[in-house]
Amino acid sequence: MAINDHVANLLARLRNAQMSRADQLEVPATGVLQNVVQILKEEGFIKGYRVVTEQNINRLRIALKATPEAGYAIKGMRRMSRPGRRIYVGKDDIPTVKNGFGVAIVSTSKGVMTGEKAKKLSIGGELLCEVW
């Protein structure tokens, strides 16, 4: 089955893995998804990830971060821009997610980065998603 929206697929699989109390999950590997997952790792939402190649198919194996007291590190996520309705933001319009406790992920001309980094570089782009 062809996937039209890889970022929405990633967020749905993350949500489903957390609902089923899984430790890890696999998604098809694309360049954008690797960048998004790298940002999630740097921001502390997941333990880690690695690219697994099986039968010439690259997949991302993502290890979820959870503690017995607080549960999973990802409390919520929202897909902002989608194929049917793209959302572009300027450098001044990049949102702050949950008063700084979350992260906005923006696809810019300099690559995929957090909203805070895009603000520091004074560039806007396509607002992919928000994670908190």
Side-chain angles (χ1 to χ4, degrees):
M1 182 168 90
I3 299 171
N4 291 331
D5 190 357
H6 288 282
V7 176
N9 182 45
L10 170 69
L11 297 179
R13 287 184 187 213
L14 282 169
R15 194 175 294 118
N16 290 341
Q18 288 184 173
M19 295 286 284
S20 67
R21 308 244 188 262
D23 293 333
Q24 64 182 5
L25 71 139
E26 284 189 5
V27 295
T30 65
V32 172
L33 288 188
Q34 285 183 355
N35 293 334
V36 169
V37 171
Q38 178 64 36
I39 290 170
L40 293 177
K41 182 177 185 278
E42 290 170 358
E43 295 293 324
F45 289 110
I46 62 173
K47 280 185 191 174
Y49 73 98
R50 63 186 176 122
V51 179
V52 178
T53 304
E54 295 174 356
Q55 300 171 352
N56 293 335
I57 299 173
N58 291 336
R59 300 183 63 77
L60 289 173
R61 185 168 291 155
I62 303 168
L64 299 174
K65 185 176 184 179
T67 59
E69 311 84 40
Y72 287 99
I74 298 175
K75 300 299 180 194
M77 55 199 115
R78 182 181 324 145
R79 176 73 160 123
M80 300 303 288
S81 182
R82 52 191 176 90
R85 183 171 184 253
R86 302 286 185 192
I87 297 176
Y88 296 97
V89 292
K91 62 181 180 181
D92 298 326
D93 299 326
I94 297 173
T96 302
V97 182
K98 300 289 182 184
N99 287 331
F101 288 102
V103 62
I105 299 177
V106 182
S107 177
T108 68
S109 59
K110 306 274 188 202
V112 178
M113 61 183 72
T114 65
E116 294 300 316
K117 186 174 179 184
K119 284 181 188 178
K120 287 179 186 172
L121 295 175
S122 290
I123 54 176
E126 182 181 356
L127 182 60
L128 295 177
C129 61
E130 295 176 345
V131 181
W132 62 90

